[in-house]
Amino acid sequence: MEAILVINSGSSSLKFQVFGISRAASLVRLVRGQMEGIGVKPRLRAYANDKAVLVSKEYARDEIPDVKAAISVTGRWLRQNQNVDLVAVGHRVVHGGPEYDRPVLVDKGVLADLEKYTFLAPLHQPSNLASIRSFLENAPDLPQIACFDTAFHRSHSAVADHFAIPERFYIEGVRRYGFHGLSYEYVAERLRQTAPDVATKRVIVAHLGSGASMCALSNGRSIESTMGFTALDGLPMGTRPGQIDPGVVLYLISERCMTPTEVEDLLYRQSGLKGLSGISSDVRELIDSKDHRAKFALDYFVYRSSQCVGMLVAALGGLDAFVFTAGVGENSPVMRARIAEKLSWLGARLDSPANAAGKTLISESGSRVALYVIATDEELMIARHTLAVLSAHRPIQSVEDTISA
C-alpha cells in the first residue's frame, strides 16, 4: 500500500504516524508512534490504529544521540515491520515566515529559507528542519512537504498583523504570525461537521497544552490569534511566559547583564507555569499539588486566559461558541470548568456532568455561548496537505477523493 509518513520532530522526541492511501478513497491511519528520550533514555513506541502495541523498545543513549539517529532507527523499523510503500513525508514546521502561506514541496532552497526563521522558534524549528535535512541526505528522491503552523493565520488583516513600529520592519517580516495553525485548521473543519450552524459564526478555539494559544474564527477563518512574532506571546504556557512587557527583556539585558542566550532560555524554558510554581510545567501535577505556588500558577493561567478571551471577543464583535482542544483542553475537566466560569459574563453556562464525562458539547441548552470539546489531529491535517501537494507532482490512485477524507 502506498503511504505517507508524517513527522513532528521535537528536541527530545520524534512523533510519527503512517497513513495508507486506500483504494476506498480515504486516508487510513496505520501506525502512530514516538521515539522519546532522545540523547537521554531513548525508547521507541508504536501502535496500530486499533491501539495494539507494535513495538516498545529501549536503546542505549549513544545509539540515538540526536534527531537524525532517531529518524534512521525509526525508518529502519518501519521498513522491516510495516508493509508500506512510502510516497512522501509530511513535516510539521512551526514557522514559515512571511514567504510561506501554504504547504510546500521542500528542496534545498526551501530548507535554506526556513533556516532563517530558526531564531523565531528555537524550541521547535531546529528539530523540524533536522528531520527534513536527514531525509534530503538519505532519501533525496522521496518527496517532502513542509506544513506550517503559521499558514492558517495568513488570512489576518494588515491591522491585525502589524506592530506599531516603523513599516520597514513589517516589510522585513516583523509581524504577528500566530501559531498552532494546523490544529486550528483541523478543529475548524471538525466544527463544520459537528456543529455546522455554529461553524460559520464567531468562534474562539483554545489550544491548551504545554504550548497554549487561542484563535478567533469568523466563518471558519482565522482573524486574530493570541500569539504573534514568536510562540512566546499571549497565554502563559508550560515553560513560556505569554504576554510580557518588552521592557522586562530590556531590563534583563541592560540591568541584569543577561546575554541574549540566557534571556532566550529564561523565556522559552524557565518561565510560565514552571517558573511561577517552581514545581512543574505539567497542569496535572499542579492540580494534584497542595503547594500554594501550584494554585497560584493555575490561578494566573485562568486569569490571563480570560483576559485573552476578552481581546478576541472584541476582535470578533461577539461570541457564539468556544472550543477546547489539545492536551489540557481535551483532558482536564477541572481547567475547562475554571475557564468556562470566566466566560459567564458572555452568557456561557457549563453543563457540569457533560464536562466531567468529556462530551463534545459541554454547555447547557440555554447557554448563549456554546461550549465544545474537540480533539485536534494535526497529523491528519499534515497528511491531507501532503497528499494535496503530492498530487500536483505525480499521479496517485483516487487522489481527488482521498484528499477529502
Side-chain angles (χ1 to χ4, degrees):
M1 174 184 287
E2 291 191 331
I4 290 170
L5 174 63
V6 172
I7 295 287
N8 186 350
S9 299
S11 59
S12 61
S13 67
L14 176 76
K15 297 178 182 178
F16 64 93
Q17 294 195 23
V18 178
F19 291 85
I21 304 172
S22 171
R23 291 188 179 183
S26 62
L27 284 169
V28 181
R29 199 187 317 262
L30 303 175
V31 179
R32 68 173 77 211
Q34 179 172 337
M35 178 72 81
E36 56 192 2
I38 295 172
V40 180
K41 191 177 180 180
R43 186 184 186 100
L44 174 63
R45 301 175 189 267
Y47 305 87
N49 196 36
D50 62 2
K51 299 184 180 180
V53 177
L54 298 175
V55 63
S56 180
K57 182 178 179 181
E58 294 184 359
Y59 295 84
R61 178 176 179 175
D62 58 357
E63 286 185 276
I64 306 179
D66 52 28
V67 170
K68 183 177 180 179
I71 289 172
S72 178
V73 171
T74 301
R76 188 183 312 121
W77 177 82
L78 285 170
R79 287 192 300 271
Q80 294 174 351
N81 296 277
Q82 300 300 309
N83 185 27
V84 295
D85 174 23
L86 290 183
V87 295
V89 183
H91 298 267
R92 177 197 178 204
V93 177
V94 168
H95 215 302
E99 297 179 54
Y100 297 101
D101 61 355
R102 66 199 66 189
V104 63
L105 187 67
V106 179
D107 56 23
K108 291 182 179 179
V110 171
L111 180 61
D113 286 342
L114 298 178
E115 286 173 342
K116 296 186 296 187
Y117 310 125
T118 295
F119 78 99
L120 297 178
L123 283 185
H124 305 92
Q125 198 89 344
S127 299
N128 299 159
L129 302 188
S131 60
I132 293 175
R133 192 177 299 108
S134 178
F135 278 99
L136 282 176
E137 293 173 358
N138 298 298
D141 295 328
L142 183 63
Q144 296 188 77
I145 286 79
C147 303
F148 305 102
D149 259 344
T150 50
F152 184 66
H153 302 293
R154 294 300 294 275
S155 55
H156 289 184
S157 68
V159 168
D161 274 354
H162 269 70
F163 293 109
I165 57 178
E167 181 69 9
R168 66 180 183 273
F169 294 106
Y170 181 84
I171 295 171
E172 291 175 9
V174 182
R175 59 187 72 175
R176 293 177 54 83
Y177 290 98
F179 298 88
H180 295 133
L182 292 163
S183 175
Y184 291 129
E185 185 178 9
Y186 177 81
V187 171
E189 287 193 6
R190 286 291 301 148
L191 194 61
R192 282 194 287 270
Q193 300 169 14
T194 303
D197 56 327
V198 170
T200 58
K201 297 180 180 179
R202 301 164 299 183
V203 179
I204 292 174
V205 182
H207 179 105
L208 307 179
S210 58
S213 68
M214 293 183 187
C215 175
L217 300 178
S218 178
N219 195 22
R221 297 173 69 250
S222 172
I223 67 162
E224 185 58 273
S225 169
T226 56
M227 282 183 168
F229 184 52
T230 69
L232 285 172
D233 201 5
L235 279 65
M237 295 165 247
T239 62
R240 287 169 270 171
Q243 182 181 14
I244 190 170
D245 185 338
V248 173
V249 177
L250 297 177
Y251 166 78
L252 296 174
I253 294 172
S254 63
E255 300 300 321
R256 296 294 300 274
C257 299
M258 293 177 68
T259 67
T261 300
E262 289 172 332
V263 173
E264 178 184 288
D265 183 66
L266 173 69
L267 296 180
Y268 278 98
R269 300 174 181 86
Q270 306 300 328
S271 299
L273 298 178
K274 178 181 178 181
L276 284 173
S277 70
I279 298 170
S280 175
S281 62
D282 192 317
V283 167
R284 294 167 297 185
E285 292 184 28
L286 297 179
I287 289 174
D288 292 339
S289 175
K290 302 300 182 183
D291 193 304
H292 71 279
R293 296 174 301 169
K295 179 180 181 303
F296 179 79
L298 294 176
D299 288 347
Y300 183 90
F301 180 82
V302 172
Y303 175 69
R304 293 297 177 188
S305 295
S306 67
Q307 285 189 319
C308 287
V309 170
M311 177 191 76
L312 296 180
V313 170
L316 287 166
L319 186 63
D320 299 298
F322 188 93
V323 181
F324 294 93
T325 193
V328 176
E330 295 169 24
N331 300 303
S332 179
V334 172
M335 296 308 291
R336 291 198 299 263
R338 293 194 61 181
I339 291 173
E341 183 181 8
K342 292 290 186 180
L343 305 182
S344 61
W345 67 280
L346 293 165
R349 290 164 52 187
L350 182 71
D351 182 330
S352 295
N355 178 49
K359 300 292 186 181
T360 298
L361 180 64
I362 59 170
S363 52
E364 294 181 355
S365 59
S367 179
R368 291 204 303 271
V369 174
L371 303 173
Y372 292 91
V373 181
I374 297 179
T376 192
D377 196 336
E378 295 162 297
E379 288 77 15
L380 179 56
M381 202 74 246
I382 292 170
R384 289 173 176 170
H385 284 313
T386 299
L387 188 57
V389 174
L390 187 65
S391 69
H393 293 82
R394 53 152 288 183
I396 298 179
Q397 186 170 358
S398 302
V399 162
E400 293 81 5
D401 292 331
T402 305
I403 292 171
S404 64

